[in-house]
Amino acid sequence: MDIIKPRTLSGFMELLPPAQIRFERMVEILRTTYASYGFAPLDTPAIEDAQILLAKGGGETEKQIYRFQKGDSDLALRFDLTVPLAKYVALHCNDLAFPFRRFQISKVYRGERAQRGRFREFYQADIDIIGDGKLDILNEAEIPAIICKIFRAFGLTRFQVRVNNRKILSGFYAMLDLAEKSGDIMRTVDKLDKIGPDKVKTILLEDCGLTGDQADEILKFIAIRGSNAEVIAALEGYAGKNELFDQGVAELKAVTGNLAAFGVAEENFAVDLTIARGLDYYTGTVYETTLLDHPEIGSVCSGGRYDNLAGYYIEKQLPGVGISIGLTRLFYVLDEQGLLNPALPSSPADALVLPMTDSPAAAIALAEQLRCAGLRVQLYGEQKKFKQKMAYANKLGVPFAVLLGEDEIAEGKCSVKNMTTGEQVKLAPDEAAEYMKNHLNAGNCPIILE
Amino acid sequence: MDIIKPRTLSGFMELLPPAQIRFERMVEILRTTYASYGFAPLDTPAIEDAQILLAKGGGETEKQIYRFQKGDSDLALRFDLTVPLAKYVALHCNDLAFPFRRFQISKVYRGERAQRGRFREFYQADIDIIGDGKLDILNEAEIPAIICKIFRAFGLTRFQVRVNNRKILSGFYAMLDLAEKSGDIMRTVDKLDKIGPDKVKTILLEDCGLTGDQADEILKFIAIRGSNAEVIAALEGYAGKNELFDQGVAELKAVTGNLAAFGVAEENFAVDLTIARGLDYYTGTVYETTLLDHPEIGSVCSGGRYDNLAGYYIEKQLPGVGISIGLTRLFYVLDEQGLLNPALPSSPADALVLPMTDSPAAAIALAEQLRCAGLRVQLYGEQKKFKQKMAYANKLGVPFAVLLGEDEIAEGKCSVKNMTTGEQVKLAPDEAAEYMKNHLNAGNCPIILE
C-alpha cells in the first residue's frame, strides 16, 4: 500500500494527551462558571450561509473567511461567535426569554497568515446578555466578576480586568469640540502603551490636526490614574459639561460600585481611560483583560456593551453586553509559560489496575468498584512482563498503579502503588479509593482555592 | 439598513436552550463515562488536508465530503473521527503510550441529501483503544460495558448491545467452501431483518450461486438464537472444523465471559450471528446497538475490532477496537420520543434572584452565596414590575425564584418561591441553598440511579 505522509495543517492546534487534558480543564472551568451564572449553553453550526455571515461585509473578514460552494450553496465557516449569535437571536427571538444569556465555547476559523501563537482554527469562549429594547447596567457589572472568577480558577492571580466607558470618551471629545475626530483620536490614544505620550501628542497635532491645548487636555485626561475611587473622583471634576459624559461616569460608577458584593478582588480590576475597543460596535462599557507579567500579549479577554446586536437581520432593537476569551491562544501562552497549574496531574486516568492473575474477573470488578467511587480507572489487560506494565504506567503518567494478585484477592485487598513516591500499601478496595482520592484532592486544591 | 432574512442551513441542527441543555446532559454523560475508563480526550482539527482525509478514497465519501481550496491548499472537513484518529496516531506514535485510549466527541460533515432526522453536520462520540502490534481481547469485552453504562445514564433501559465476531462468520463460510463468496453472503444475510429468510435464500441461490444445501446451512446457522450460553453452545457444535472459526468462538467467549464482572445487565446484551458490519475494515468482534422499542432506527452505536488502523499513513501495525455513537441523530430520535428524562429541569438556571430593593448589593451577595453552594443562579437586574419578573421566570422555566426585599434583608433571610407549586418559604441563605438543592437532587435521581 502507498503511504501518505501524515501531517496536521499549519495554524491548526492538535495537542498530545497531557496538554489536551490541561486544555479540557480550562474548558470545564469555563463551562461550569458560565453555567453557574445562568447562561444557557449554545451550539450553532460551524457552517453558515456566506451571505448571512458577511452581512456586515468589509475588509479583513472577507479576506480571511473560509468560503466555498457545495452544490448551489454559497457557504462559509464562522469567523467569530457574535455573528452566529445575532442570527440565532433574530431567527428565534419569539422563543427566547429576554434578557437572553448564552455562553458558547466553539471553534472559529480565520485564514490568517500562520505564525507562532496564531491559529487559523481556534476556540472562542463567549458570554453575552441580550435585552429586548432595554438592558440594565447591572449586567455590565456582573461580567468582570465572572471573568475574575474564571481566571482565578485557571490558577492565575496576576491579571487585571480593565474597564472604561465609551460615553465618557465620546463626551469628553465633544467637550473639546472634537466629536467628529473622536474616531481618529481614540485610535491614536489606543497606541499610548506602545509608543508613549510624546509620539501620541505628535500624531494628535500633525495627523489629527488638533491644537496644542486640545492635545494637552487629552494627554492630561488619559493620564488619570489611581484607585477606582480616585479615577472616578477625577472624572467628576469634568461633570456638568456634557450629558453623554455624565451618563458614562454614572454607568462606570454603577459598574465599579458593586464589585465587592460581586466578589471581585481589588487588585484584579481597574478603571483605565485609555481603553476604547471596536469603534463601530461598542457604545458603553468596554473591557480588556491583561496578564500583568505578560503585557506583551495584549488583551486576552475583551468585550463591552453594544446597542444593537442583530440590526442586519431584524428590525427589533437588541442591546447587549458580552465578552470573549480567545481560548486557544490563551491556552498556548499559559501552557508554554507553565502557568496552568503544572503540578496538577494530566494523565487520562487516576489509577491503572493491573491484573496479576490468569483470570481478569477480580480485576474487572475492582476497577468498576473504584470507578463507582469517582475515580478514573484504566484496566490494563495486555499480557506483558511486570516491568513493561510499570513502564506503561510511567509513560501514561498515571498517579497510581493498583496491583491485584492471588495474595491480594485471598485477603480481599489490593496493592496501591504511588507512582511518584514508589510507596506501596495494601488496602481493601473502599479504603484504596479513599486513599487515592485524598491524594488526588490534595493535588487539586490550588485550582479550587486560588 | 437592508435586512437579510436570518436562516440556518438545512441539515444543520440548531437547538433552543431547553433542548440544548438536554443535549449537553448527554454530552456530559459521555465525557465523564469515557473519562472514567481512562480514555484521553482528543480534539483534532475539523479541517484537514483533503489528500490525507481521502487516502482511502472511494465512493460515497468523495461525493459527500466538503472540500475546498484556500490559497494553494486543498482542504476538506472531516467526515468521521476515525480517519483523523489514524492520522493522529501515525503522526504522534512516538509520543503516545500504547495501548492508546482516546475519546473524541466532535462534529463531522457529510453533504448528504437533507431529510428528516438526517444531518449534514453531526456529532460523533467515539472511543478507540489502539495497540502497538498487539491488543488483548479484554479491551473488546470492556466496550459493551461502557456503552451499557452510558445508555443507562441517558435514562434508557430498553436497549441491547449486540455482538458477533467476524472470524466466526468467515470461518463458517470457509467450512462450506464459500470463503470467496463470504462478502456477498454477508451483505445478503445482513438484510435478514428487512426482507426475511425466504428472500435471503432466493438471493443466496440466484445471485450468489449457492447450492440449496449451502443456503440451508447458512440459514440454519444465522437462525441460532438464545441466551449467550445457548448460542455459544450451539457454536461449539461446529468446533474443530476450521481454525479461524474456533478462534472466533474463543474470542466471543472471552468477550461474553466477563460481562457480569463488568456490570453489564443480561437484558442489555446479546450475541447476534447476523451482524457483520463494514466488511473491509473489521476483523474480529463487531458491535451494534438497538433500541428495542424502535428497531426501525437501526443501530445507534456500532463498531468493532480492526487489525490495522493507520495503514495509509504508516508501516507500523496498529490493531484496535472502537465504537461510535451518532450522537446528533440519537438525540434527535430520543428527544422527539420524549425518552430523555423529560422530567429533568432544562432551564439554564436553578434559581432566579430578584432584587426587590433600590440597591442590588444584597441581592448580588446572595446570588454569589447560592452559587458557592453549587447552584446555577441568575441575578435579574431589570427594572420591571413584579408580574413581569414572574413572567420572565416562567418563560425561562427556572425551578425557583428567590425574592429579596427590605423585610428579608432585615431578617437576614430570603423568600424562596417554588415556581412549579407556587409554595413560598422564607429561609436564611444557607438553608435556602440546601432547600433548593434537595428539591433539585430529588428530580435528578432517575438520571443517576437508572
Side-chain angles (χ1 to χ4, degrees), chain B residues 35-288:
Chain B
S36 79
Y37 284 84
F39 289 84
L42 180 61
D43 182 11
T44 60
I47 307 178
E48 301 267 7
D49 182 314
Q51 307 288 341
I52 286 179
L53 279 193
L54 293 168
K56 190 180 175 183
E60 280 305 290
T61 305
E62 290 232 35
K63 260 182 270 170
Q64 295 180 350
I65 199 166
Y66 288 87
R67 184 174 183 171
F68 51 92
Q69 298 282 318
K70 180 84 182 167
D72 297 334
S73 304
D74 180 11
L75 306 174
L77 299 179
R78 63 182 166 217
F79 54 88
D80 73 3
L81 301 177
T82 303
V83 175
L85 171 65
K87 181 217 72 176
Y88 180 89
V89 174
L91 188 57
H92 302 291
C93 66
N94 292 330
D95 295 310
L96 300 175
F98 290 94
F100 170 58
R101 307 177 144 227
R102 82 87 176 79
F103 75 89
Q104 181 161 8
I105 305 168
S106 294
K107 287 176 171 177
V108 304
Y109 297 85
R110 294 184 196 173
E112 298 189 73
R113 196 167 62 81
Q115 48 181 311
R116 204 165 158 281
R118 284 279 175 189
F119 297 91
R120 290 170 173 166
E121 175 187 73
F122 57 97
Y123 279 94
Q124 289 192 331
D126 283 22
I127 41 173
D128 284 88
I129 308 171
I130 316 296
D132 181 359
K134 283 172 86 172
L135 187 68
D136 196 85
I137 186 77
L138 193 60
N139 297 289
E140 286 159 59
E142 197 178 41
I143 300 269
I146 299 170
I147 296 304
C148 286
K149 199 185 273 187
I150 283 169
F151 275 62
R152 293 220 153 224
F154 285 166
L156 303 170
T157 51
R158 299 271 303 145
F159 67 90
Q160 203 169 47
V161 180
R162 294 180 179 166
V163 175
N164 195 8
N165 192 299
R166 290 290 308 277
K167 289 175 187 164
I168 295 176
L169 299 183
S170 299
F172 177 74
Y173 296 129
M175 279 182 217
L176 299 178
D177 282 326
L178 291 170
E180 299 198 347
K181 291 180 177 172
S182 64
D184 290 341
I185 298 172
M186 285 191 228
R187 263 184 290 273
T188 308
V189 165
D190 201 35
K191 295 174 190 157
L192 184 69
D193 276 355
K194 280 183 197 148
I195 63 175
D198 291 346
K199 285 196 181 154
V200 164
K201 186 170 177 179
T202 308
I203 299 175
L204 290 177
L205 295 175
E206 293 177 6
D207 297 358
C208 305
L210 269 59
T211 67
D213 281 355
Q214 286 172 327
D216 287 339
E217 278 291 337
I218 288 169
L219 286 170
K220 184 180 134 201
F221 180 79
I222 60 176
I224 294 171
R225 290 280 185 285
S227 68
N228 297 333
E230 287 162 353
V231 173
I232 287 172
L235 290 174
E236 284 179 336
Y238 296 91
K241 295 175 183 166
N242 178 284
E243 201 180 331
L244 192 63
F245 181 92
D246 294 349
Q247 197 187 333
V249 175
E251 288 182 7
L252 189 62
K253 283 170 76 173
V255 168
T256 56
N258 287 305
L259 285 174
F262 271 116
V264 175
E266 179 91 16
E267 73 262 29
N268 292 140
F269 184 89
V271 174
D272 183 337
L273 299 178
T274 65
I275 291 172
R277 299 219 64 80
L279 297 178
D280 53 349
Y281 188 56
Y282 295 115
T283 52
T285 304
V286 284
Y287 314 100
E288 290 192 353

Side-chain angles (χ1 to χ4, degrees), chain A residues 212-440:
Chain A
D213 282 354
Q214 287 172 326
D216 287 338
E217 278 293 335
I218 289 168
L219 286 170
K220 185 180 133 202
F221 180 79
I222 59 175
I224 294 171
R225 290 278 184 284
S227 68
N228 296 334
E230 286 164 353
V231 172
I232 287 172
L235 289 174
E236 284 177 337
Y238 295 92
K241 295 175 184 167
N242 178 285
E243 201 180 329
L244 192 63
F245 182 92
D246 294 349
Q247 197 186 333
V249 174
E251 289 182 8
L252 189 61
K253 282 169 77 172
V255 169
T256 56
N258 287 305
L259 286 173
F262 271 116
V264 176
E266 179 90 18
E267 73 262 31
N268 292 139
F269 183 90
V271 175
D272 182 336
L273 298 178
T274 65
I275 291 171
R277 298 219 63 79
L279 296 179
D280 52 349
Y281 188 55
Y282 295 115
T283 51
T285 304
V286 284
Y287 314 100
E288 290 192 352
T289 311
T290 41
L291 303 178
L292 295 176
D293 300 324
H294 297 279
E296 75 283 2
I297 300 165
S299 176
V300 293
C301 170
S302 314
R305 160 86 187 206
Y306 42 87
D307 276 346
N308 200 2
L309 173 73
Y312 295 100
Y313 310 122
I314 196 171
E315 301 279 357
K316 215 180 180 60
Q317 181 85 3
L318 296 167
V321 58
I323 199 161
S324 175
I325 300 178
L327 185 59
T328 300
R329 181 144 181 273
L330 179 61
F331 169 79
Y332 176 83
V333 169
L334 294 180
D335 205 44
E336 201 186 43
Q337 305 273 352
L339 293 174
L340 281 175
N341 285 321
L344 288 178
S346 52
S347 166
D350 301 317
L352 185 71
V353 169
L354 299 174
M356 315 289 280
T357 53
D358 288 342
S359 162
I364 293 168
L366 172 65
E368 194 51 27
Q369 199 176 344
L370 297 177
R371 264 177 220 123
C372 289
L375 290 161
R376 298 172 306 148
V377 181
Q378 178 182 342
L379 179 65
Y380 185 85
E382 310 311 304
Q383 308 296 322
K384 299 266 183 175
K385 293 192 180 129
F386 184 72
K387 207 174 156 186
Q388 289 172 300
K389 292 180 181 178
M390 283 295 137
Y392 178 73
N394 274 321
K395 186 158 187 183
L396 208 58
V398 71
F400 295 99
V402 179
L403 286 55
L404 194 65
E406 300 295 355
D407 288 358
E408 283 89 354
I409 293 172
E411 292 177 61
K413 296 192 170 178
C414 58
S415 291
V416 179
K417 186 181 174 73
N418 183 319
M419 295 299 292
T420 315
T421 63
E423 193 191 0
Q424 189 169 319
V425 287
K426 213 184 269 187
L427 297 167
D430 53 346
E431 295 166 349
E434 283 310 304
Y435 173 82
M436 290 187 278
K437 278 159 70 179
N438 288 339
H439 269 74
L440 293 165

